[in-house]
């Protein structure tokens, strides 16, 4: 009788677990379905990514971010940022071989950390799907198509994967780009990547890259450039118009202007480190009227200034912003930029207000 009772109890628990597991799978399937609707194709490629991605530039870096130090606490914060992003349906992560690498005087490679975070996540949830974007550094001593393939294979090793979803040229080559573009095409044909893109490419170089890859039947999926409400050079130099014309997705890095558009910095409390040279108290003083209006717009939607400025980019269409998340709180906030949209009048009003502010300094690679 006791054996029967135990058996019945075990059966009841087993049945309960089966019901719970079915429910979890059903919820997961529904979330996956909802996430799928929130994805966009990158250019003319078959690759679909979430409308907002996460930049991993700061992960492991000690040359620009993290106050020149990297420790276990920052490691755990970055891991939490990754997990919260995936929990909220953001599964597109952008890194690069130079982020946090020894070349960049960093503590640990961002690629290594991203690969570790993905692996740990999949151990708990094997169904986790993440789209990885990384980049080839067009260093002056690298020549030809094979240099791209060699660097890619090193990146794959650090990431612990056999393929990545998007491989990009980080900046134009000093001595030319023909061989690099050939290397991108080879990577696609060898099945090492699903799509290819470029970064920091001018309108002229963008067209050249598009045409060269097109001859091999390979679409140029993206161009990753500095683009935010207060840094609209892509609108002014023809890059965004060219992306729209050719069907190339614009991936926007520094979409919250490295924190300047969040409202956390004021003339009395400017950022520290290298950013202090760009976002000075004088600039932040001029920025206040725009920040006040962003805050007002956000209150209408129940959104933070950060969520408003990210949504401003998403509302442009053909733009995927990739803000950098250093911790869980930031990742959670970024997710709130999805699922709603600013009106055209609001987009235009914010652009008009921003145009009254002198633009911030960009990166020299844009002029190569």
């Amino acid at each position: 009788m006791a054996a029967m009772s135990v058996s019945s109890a075990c059966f009841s628990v087993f049945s309960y677990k089966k019901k719970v597991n079915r429910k979890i799978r059903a919820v997961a399937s529904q979330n996956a379905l909802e996430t799928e609707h929130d994805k966009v194709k990158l250019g003319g490629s078959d690759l679909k990514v979430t409308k907002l991605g996460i930049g991993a530039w700061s992960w492991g870096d000690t040359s620009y971010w993290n106050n020149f130090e990297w420790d276990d606490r920052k490691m755990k914060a970055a891991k939490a940022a990754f997990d919260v992003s995936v929990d909220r349906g953001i599964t597109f992560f952008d890194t690069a071989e130079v982020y946090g690498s020894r070349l960049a005087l960093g503590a640990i490679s961002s690629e290594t950390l991203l690969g570790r975070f993905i692996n740990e996540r999949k151990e708990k949830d094997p169904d986790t799907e993440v789209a990885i974007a990384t980049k080839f550094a067009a260093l002056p001593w690298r020549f030809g198509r094979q240099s791209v393939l060699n660097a890619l294979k090193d990146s794959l090793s650090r990431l612990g994967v056999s393929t990545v979803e998007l491989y990009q040229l980080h900046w134009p080559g000093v001595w030319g780009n023909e061989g690099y573009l050939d290397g991108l095409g080879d990577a696609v044909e060898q099945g090492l990547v699903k799509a290819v893109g470029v970064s920091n490419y001018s309108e002229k170089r963008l067209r050249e890259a598009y045409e060269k890859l097109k001859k091999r039947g390979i679409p140029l999926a993206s161009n990753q450039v500095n683009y935010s409400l207060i840094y609209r050079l892509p609108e002014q130099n023809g890059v965004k118009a060219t992306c729209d014309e050719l069907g190339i997705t614009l991936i926007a890095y520094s979409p919250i202007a490295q924190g300047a558009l969040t409202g956390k910095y004021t003339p009395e409390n400017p950022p520290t480190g290298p950013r202090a040279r760009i976002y000075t108290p004088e600039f932040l003083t001029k920025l206040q009227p725009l920040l006040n209006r962003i805050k007002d717009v956000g209150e209408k939607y129940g959104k933070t200034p950060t969520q408003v400025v990210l949504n401003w980019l998403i509302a442009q269409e053909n733009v995927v912003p990739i803000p950098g998340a250093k911790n869980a709180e930031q990742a959670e906030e970024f997710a709130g930029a999805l699922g709603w949209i600013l009106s055209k009048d609001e987009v235009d009003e914010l652009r008009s207000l921003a145009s009254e502010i002198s633009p911030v300094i960009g990166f020299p690679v844009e002029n190569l």
Side-chain angles (χ1 to χ4, degrees), residues 11 13 32 37 93 133 145 152 156 176 181 187 224 267 277 290 303 319 336:
F11 178 76
V13 171
H37 287 311
F93 294 87
R145 64 206 305 167
L152 172 56
L156 294 176
L181 292 167
Q224 184 178 145
R277 294 195 296 270
L290 174 62
K303 298 294 180 179
V319 176

Side-chain angles (χ1 to χ4, degrees), residues 266-327:
T266 64
E268 297 75 32
N269 179 40
T272 59
R275 289 178 294 167
R277 294 195 296 270
I278 301 174
Y279 305 107
T280 63
E282 293 76 18
F283 179 83
L284 292 170
T285 297
K286 296 176 182 177
L287 190 61
Q288 289 310 300
L290 174 62
L291 291 177
N292 291 337
R293 182 56 187 146
I294 290 170
K295 184 178 179 181
D296 291 340
V297 172
E299 288 175 353
K300 170 184 172 182
Y301 291 94
K303 298 294 180 179
T304 67
T306 297
Q307 292 163 345
V308 170
V309 296
L310 288 173
N311 193 272
W312 183 86
L313 286 167
I314 294 169
Q316 310 298 317
E317 298 186 354
N318 199 38
V319 176
V320 175
I322 50 167
K326 297 172 70 174
N327 54 54

Side-chain angles (χ1 to χ4, degrees), residues 116-187:
R116 184 185 304 172
F117 297 162
I118 293 172
N119 182 59
E120 290 173 356
R121 179 80 182 202
K122 286 190 173 183
E123 286 180 355
K124 297 177 180 178
D125 181 7
D127 294 329
T128 299
E129 292 186 4
V130 171
I132 302 171
T134 191
K135 309 181 198 74
F136 165 83
L139 300 167
W141 56 86
R142 283 179 163 173
F143 300 97
R145 64 206 305 167
Q146 191 58 44
S147 65
V148 175
L149 293 173
N150 292 342
L152 172 56
K153 290 172 182 176
D154 287 341
S155 287
L156 294 176
S157 177
R158 285 186 290 270
L159 287 159
V161 296
S162 58
T163 63
V164 290
E165 279 65 33
L166 178 67
Y167 197 50
Q168 307 152 95
L169 302 182
H170 206 151
W171 59 82
V174 176
W175 314 119
N177 297 282
E178 293 287 312
Y180 294 156
L181 292 167
D182 286 332
L184 288 185
D186 295 343

Side-chain angles (χ1 to χ4, degrees), residues 164-343:
V164 290
E165 279 65 33
L166 178 67
Y167 197 50
Q168 307 152 95
L169 302 182
H170 206 151
W171 59 82
V174 176
W175 314 119
N177 297 282
E178 293 287 312
Y180 294 156
L181 292 167
D182 286 332
L184 288 185
D186 295 343
V188 173
E189 292 175 355
Q190 292 181 26
L192 299 175
V193 301
K194 295 180 180 177
V196 291
V198 293
S199 182
N200 299 303
Y201 266 49
S202 65
E203 177 188 2
K204 179 177 180 292
R205 291 192 181 280
L206 193 60
R207 290 186 182 277
E208 291 171 349
Y210 173 86
E211 292 298 336
K212 184 167 181 61
L213 288 168
K214 183 180 178 182
K215 291 177 181 178
R216 296 179 66 170
I218 298 171
L220 180 62
S222 60
N223 184 24
Q224 184 178 145
V225 295
N226 188 352
Y227 184 32
S228 71
L229 184 56
I230 57 171
Y231 190 82
R232 299 181 314 286
L233 185 63
E235 296 178 359
Q236 300 153 3
N237 63 9
V239 164
K240 185 175 187 306
T242 301
C243 285
D244 293 343
E245 174 195 340
L246 300 179
I248 301 167
T249 298
L250 190 156
I251 298 176
Y253 70 76
S254 295
I256 55 177
Q258 299 180 18
L261 286 171
T262 65
K264 69 181 288 187
Y265 298 118
T266 64
E268 297 75 32
N269 179 40
T272 59
R275 289 178 294 167
R277 294 195 296 270
I278 301 174
Y279 305 107
T280 63
E282 293 76 18
F283 179 83
L284 292 170
T285 297
K286 296 176 182 177
L287 190 61
Q288 289 310 300
L290 174 62
L291 291 177
N292 291 337
R293 182 56 187 146
I294 290 170
K295 184 178 179 181
D296 291 340
V297 172
E299 288 175 353
K300 170 184 172 182
Y301 291 94
K303 298 294 180 179
T304 67
T306 297
Q307 292 163 345
V308 170
V309 296
L310 288 173
N311 193 272
W312 183 86
L313 286 167
I314 294 169
Q316 310 298 317
E317 298 186 354
N318 199 38
V319 176
V320 175
I322 50 167
K326 297 172 70 174
N327 54 54
E329 292 74 22
Q330 290 178 348
E332 186 72 37
E333 185 174 23
F334 296 158
L338 296 169
W340 60 286
I341 203 76
L342 290 168
S343 71

